[in-house]
Amino acid sequence: NAAAAEMRERIAARLGELLLQRPGDVRLQRQQLLLSRAHISTIHSFCNDLVRENFYKLGISPDFRISDAVEMSLLRQEAMEQVLEELYETGDEFAGFAEFFSSGRDDSRLLRTVETLYDFVRSHPFPEQWLEQKEQMYLIPQPAKDTDWGKTVLRFARSALDYCASLTRNALALIEQDEKLQQAYSPALSADLAGISEQQKTAAQGEWDAVCQAVGAFRFERLKALRGYQDHPLKQRAAASRDEVKEVILRLKRLFSFDEAQCREDIANLAPLIHQLFETVRRFSSRLDALKAERRVADFGDLEHWTLRLLVRAEDGGYVRTPEAEELANNFDEVMVDEYQDTNEAQDMIFRAVSQREQNLFMVGDVKQSIYRFRQAMPEIFLRRKAAYPRYDPQKNDYPACIV
């Protein structure tokens, strides 16, 4: 809120400076008059105003208030205790699930897992849809390389092996500066590079079992002893590069320690646990919503999701805007978002919903300054947009959307 107020003050100050320079400028005078009506706020202040104007459409109390952290923590604790008590009474199935997460009679790990997943899911515009989609990933048998997990690991393997090859080539170039060092270390480093190159080819083909076999079989040759080079800087740099390569390869060995059949079996074994975990999150969410409604309180996540209920609805794996969103979007000539690297999926959909098909949506951010991951900020949203937009060409000056 303070930042939003400061932004309004800075705009007012700048307009004042320009008017001193050009006192007869009618456009600047008009901008100064319009500033008081400009909607400059945090995302949650914007949502709060919109929700309070439309509470009757959402079926919520018009006199709700935003709870503080202590009150919300107590409500969460109460909701979790009620849900766990109900679930433990259902029988051995839930007890077995809880045992998977817990140590002895302590359920703290389970509680943290449920609350962490609950917070993460709420950062998405359609939490229930997200849970259903992710649960399906465990139920549909697929080759390991075609699962989302397999794709991620294979992509990491290709990147990691490229890194290892670069480090090894750099080490070989370093030792060329000293004949004795080259004679002692070149055979082992050259063998490293040859082995890494073979792994790169295998990883590029993307066959899971072949990558498992190639990574698992890789061995490092011993470096020859070299007297008098204990503190030699070239030797230390080459050895440090090789140690880094060994660490990366060891990590790959861990990631590819299960073959295709074992991966399928592991996913199948996880399916009932994931179902129980997601069901626990759903119950916790429902019970917490009921407790908040009784006390007429809300948190910032509620503001976002109530706003989304007003503006969009899920349809065919995507979303469509409501008449309310269409009407609201017509009120804004421009939608400008600051600190865009710290938004999440739910907030990003709000921005899109109140814009005019994103043609008047302007975002400013620096992904290197993203510090709110713990609040479910998703800097990858910023990176996806950056990758999707063409760069601005001053010669053409006609891009409807671009990165400058």
Side-chain angles (χ1 to χ4, degrees), residues 36-192:
S36 62
R37 294 166 50 194
H39 203 132
I40 302 174
S41 70
T42 66
I43 177 64
H44 294 120
S45 292
F46 173 80
C47 292
N48 184 59
D49 292 344
L50 189 61
V51 166
R52 291 189 185 279
E53 291 172 7
N54 296 273
F55 71 91
Y56 57 94
K57 297 179 182 179
L58 295 165
I60 62 176
S61 173
D63 59 345
F64 74 86
R65 59 183 174 81
I66 303 300
S67 67
D68 59 34
V70 174
E71 181 181 20
M72 188 53 60
S73 177
L74 292 173
L75 284 177
R76 282 179 171 236
Q77 182 179 344
E78 183 179 349
M80 187 68 75
E81 289 174 354
Q82 292 178 10
V83 167
L84 290 183
E85 184 177 351
E86 292 174 0
L87 288 172
Y88 271 118
E89 290 176 355
T90 61
D92 294 338
E93 184 177 355
F94 180 80
F97 159 76
E99 185 67 25
F100 182 82
F101 283 94
S102 304
S103 175
R105 299 178 62 85
D106 185 1
D107 285 331
S108 59
R109 187 180 171 198
L110 172 60
L111 305 185
R112 288 196 303 272
T113 302
V114 171
E115 290 205 58
T116 299
L117 182 55
Y118 168 78
D119 288 332
F120 176 77
V121 169
R122 293 184 85 210
S123 68
H124 292 266
F126 307 114
E128 185 60 37
Q129 186 180 86
W130 188 94
L131 288 171
E132 291 175 1
Q133 290 173 349
K134 300 314 173 190
E135 188 169 354
Q136 285 300 311
M137 292 166 54
Y138 292 85
L139 301 177
I140 301 174
Q142 295 183 83
K145 66 185 179 72
D146 294 332
T147 65
D148 283 5
W149 307 287
K151 291 176 183 177
T152 300
V153 172
L154 285 168
R155 186 165 55 248
F156 171 76
R158 290 189 287 268
S159 176
L161 289 168
D162 289 345
Y163 175 60
C164 289
S166 177
L167 283 176
T168 305
R169 282 193 290 267
N170 183 62
L172 283 166
L174 284 173
I175 63 175
E176 286 178 356
Q177 301 175 46
D178 187 286
E179 184 176 355
K180 289 185 178 180
L181 192 59
Q182 184 178 24
Q183 290 177 353
Y185 281 12
S186 181
L189 290 174
S190 296
D192 291 351

Side-chain angles (χ1 to χ4, degrees), residues 49 75 195 224 233 241 264 297 312 334 348 352 386 388 395:
D49 292 344
L75 284 177
K224 292 182 180 178
S241 291
R264 287 197 182 208
V297 299
V312 297
E334 303 288 343
D348 189 51
R352 286 183 281 157
K386 183 178 178 181
Q395 300 300 319

Side-chain angles (χ1 to χ4, degrees), residues 310-322:
L310 277 172
L311 301 179
V312 297
R313 66 174 185 272
E315 186 174 283
D316 298 330
Y319 76 97
V320 294
R321 298 199 304 176
T322 64

Side-chain angles (χ1 to χ4, degrees), residues 194-346:
I196 291 168
S197 297
E198 287 301 314
Q199 290 184 76
Q200 286 178 293
K201 294 176 184 177
T202 305
Q205 296 171 357
E207 293 301 325
W208 186 268
D209 282 352
V211 177
C212 286
Q213 184 176 358
V215 171
F218 185 78
R219 298 290 183 272
F220 289 92
E221 293 185 10
R222 291 180 62 87
L223 294 171
K224 292 182 180 178
L226 194 60
R227 293 183 179 179
Y229 277 71
Q230 182 68 28
D231 298 321
H232 196 287
L234 290 178
K235 181 254 185 185
Q236 290 181 335
R237 289 168 61 187
S241 291
R242 196 175 197 235
D243 288 341
E244 176 71 8
V245 170
K246 287 183 176 181
E247 286 294 325
V248 174
I249 295 298
L250 180 60
R251 186 175 181 185
L252 290 177
K253 286 178 182 287
R254 295 192 187 105
L255 287 171
F256 289 94
S257 58
F258 292 91
D259 62 22
E260 178 78 41
Q262 290 171 315
C263 285
R264 287 197 182 208
E265 181 182 356
D266 196 38
I267 293 172
N269 290 337
L270 285 171
L273 294 172
I274 293 299
H275 172 75
Q276 193 66 255
L277 174 61
F278 285 7
E279 182 60 27
T280 304
V281 171
R282 291 186 183 101
R283 290 194 181 212
F284 171 69
S285 177
S286 178
R287 184 56 53 86
L288 183 57
D289 285 346
L291 291 175
K292 287 188 288 187
E294 288 176 8
R295 292 161 176 78
R296 296 196 293 278
V297 299
D299 58 21
F300 292 131
D302 293 319
L303 293 178
E304 292 175 9
H305 281 278
W306 285 339
T307 299
L308 285 168
R309 279 170 53 191
L310 277 172
L311 301 179
V312 297
R313 66 174 185 272
E315 186 174 283
D316 298 330
Y319 76 97
V320 294
R321 298 199 304 176
T322 64
E324 287 83 358
E326 298 282 357
E327 180 180 354
L328 187 60
N330 290 330
N331 293 334
F332 301 122
D333 293 328
E334 303 288 343
V335 178
M336 302 181 182
V337 183
D338 195 14
E339 304 292 357
Y340 186 64
Q341 77 278 354
D342 290 324
T343 60
N344 60 38
E345 293 281 6

